[in-house]
Amino acid sequence: MTDITEKHTQISDRPQNTESKTITTEIVDGKTINMKYNRYIDKYEQLPTEPIRSFYANGKPNFEKLPDGTVRTWHKNGQLKSEDLPDGTERWWYENGQIRSEYLPEIAERGWYPSGALAYEDFPDSTKRSWHSNGQLKCEKSNGTVTEYNSYGKIIRHSTNGKDDTKSYLKAKERREALRQIISKKIDERESKRPNTETKKYKRVIKNKTLTKLLASVKAALTKEN
């Protein structure tokens, strides 16, 4: 059975034109014809002037296409399978009624496992995330970087702008973590020596200064590395 996150990748590779109007009209032989944009084949398809419906042999609905652009399909058990609305919103369901995926134009696209666990999500800014069925993050893509994890949360691959840099990334990550622990330890040692009469306000100031120093130290370490 194809993993839902793999199927999602196949779907994402299809042409999409989010700037196109979902419903438009054309004049053919002097008649106004409504057309609806299909993002999977990147073109408009003619809408019917009257509802089109079909049914399974058991009498349950199978397919429905309405003049306003609404399209629905059903599973054989009568459970709604998919719904495509005039505004471009699309949803799909498993036979058990659990939502399978959802596309909200210019907002997000998401998919779920049969268990109900989130499988993937895409955003217009090209940020993408997918999860293993156990809920562990599987892959994250953002600003040219791709980070992949195994089902236990361990990073197995990292790339920047298409170039694999897993080893250097993990090494730098290890150094940052070590530096964080050293600084955290020093902060704990310093705080343990301070009198208990300090005000909460003073403690907050110390905490903010410490965070600033931590960020500066990490930035300096990365600059030295490069």
Side-chain angles (χ1 to χ4, degrees):
M1 181 177 180
T2 303
D3 187 282
I4 188 172
T5 55
E6 293 178 0
K7 183 175 182 180
H8 159 246
T9 301
Q10 297 168 5
I11 293 177
S12 296
D13 290 339
R14 295 172 179 172
Q16 296 183 27
N17 185 359
T18 56
E19 295 181 356
S20 297
K21 293 182 179 179
T22 304
I23 303 292
T24 188
T25 59
E26 289 187 8
I27 305 298
V28 179
D29 296 330
K31 295 182 179 180
T32 300
I33 297 177
N34 290 328
M35 307 286 290
K36 183 176 181 180
Y37 178 69
N38 185 325
R39 70 189 182 102
Y40 295 112
I41 58 178
D42 196 25
K43 72 175 186 180
Y44 284 88
E45 297 177 318
Q46 183 176 339
L47 291 173
T49 56
E50 297 290 337
I52 297 175
R53 295 185 176 94
S54 64
F55 301 84
Y56 288 107
N58 60 10
K60 293 184 180 297
N62 174 24
F63 173 85
E64 176 181 69
K65 190 171 187 179
L66 305 180
D68 69 353
T70 300
V71 179
R72 296 186 180 93
T73 62
W74 286 263
H75 293 284
K76 287 185 178 181
N77 64 1
Q79 172 61 48
L80 190 62
K81 181 178 182 180
S82 68
E83 183 176 55
D84 189 349
L85 302 179
D87 65 358
T89 298
E90 301 172 17
R91 293 186 178 92
W92 294 264
W93 289 267
Y94 292 101
E95 285 190 70
N96 63 2
Q98 167 62 43
I99 189 168
R100 181 187 182 97
S101 58
E102 174 183 65
Y103 172 70
L104 305 176
E106 299 182 13
I107 298 178
E109 181 172 3
R110 298 183 177 91
W112 290 264
Y113 288 103
S115 64
L118 188 62
Y120 68 82
E121 60 180 7
D122 283 7
F123 297 96
D125 64 357
S126 296
T127 297
K128 300 182 179 183
R129 299 184 186 91
S130 62
W131 287 264
H132 291 281
S133 57
N134 64 358
Q136 176 60 51
L137 187 62
K138 181 178 183 179
C139 182
E140 184 172 27
K141 302 179 181 180
S142 180
N143 299 321
T145 64
V146 179
T147 309
E148 297 178 19
Y149 306 80
N150 63 18
S151 58
Y152 298 101
K154 181 179 179 180
I155 295 176
I156 56 177
R157 183 176 180 274
H158 186 277
S159 65
T160 303
N161 296 324
K163 182 179 180 180
D164 189 299
D165 55 3
T166 307
K167 290 184 178 180
S168 59
Y169 175 80
L170 291 177
K171 190 173 182 180
K173 185 175 184 295
E174 184 178 349
R175 284 198 293 268
R176 289 194 298 270
E177 178 59 25
L179 179 60
R180 187 195 66 78
Q181 292 181 5
I182 291 173
I183 295 177
S184 178
K185 183 178 180 180
K186 289 183 177 180
I187 292 174
D188 291 340
E189 291 176 349
R190 183 179 64 182
E191 292 299 316
S192 66
K193 296 177 182 180
R194 292 186 180 280
N196 296 327
T197 56
E198 294 176 317
T199 64
K200 292 183 178 180
K201 180 178 179 181
Y202 181 69
K203 288 183 178 181
R204 286 198 297 270
V205 171
I206 292 297
K207 183 177 180 179
N208 291 337
K209 287 184 177 180
T210 301
L211 178 59
T212 301
K213 290 181 179 180
L214 174 60
L215 294 175
S217 299
V218 172
K219 183 177 181 180
L222 293 175
T223 301
K224 183 177 180 182
E225 176 188 345
N226 295 330

